[in-house]
Amino acid sequence: VTTKPAFGLNAQGSYSATPINMGSATDKVYLTIYATGLLNAGIANVTVTVNGVNAPVLYAGYGGYSGVDQINVQLPASLAGSGTVPVQVTASGIAANTVQIAIQ
């Protein structure tokens, strides 16, 4: 298992997306999202789309710190080479702010 941040400090001193390497077609790549206000939604009521593609939610719940929730999703292999793409989290029918990640 290799863990890498999806964002890093760039030369200008601000954070930017670090491209996520999707590996080979048989590799499984996971994205961990930290948020607030999801705990009561439960895994059955949390959905995530990446570039409009449904990403299977494997876990949605307590994130290890008070007030922090965690969502673990598997990134579909079909996203390889997509570049900068939107990530949309929806919990109990309420959409969170869209964020961007980079996919190699």
Side-chain angles (χ1 to χ4, degrees), residues 50-63:
V50 181
N51 205 27
V53 177
N54 286 326
V57 175
L58 306 174
Y59 175 79
Y62 179 64

Side-chain angles (χ1 to χ4, degrees), residues 4 18-24 27-30 75 80 102-104:
K4 295 183 180 181
T18 302
I20 298 170
N21 185 336
M22 296 296 289
S24 71
D27 287 349
K28 292 183 180 180
V29 179
Y30 303 94
L75 296 177
I103 299 181
Q104 223 172 6

Side-chain angles (χ1 to χ4, degrees), residues 78-97:
S78 63
L79 293 170
S82 296
T84 301
V85 297
V87 176
Q88 179 65 63
V89 174
T90 303
S92 295
I94 300 171
N97 293 336

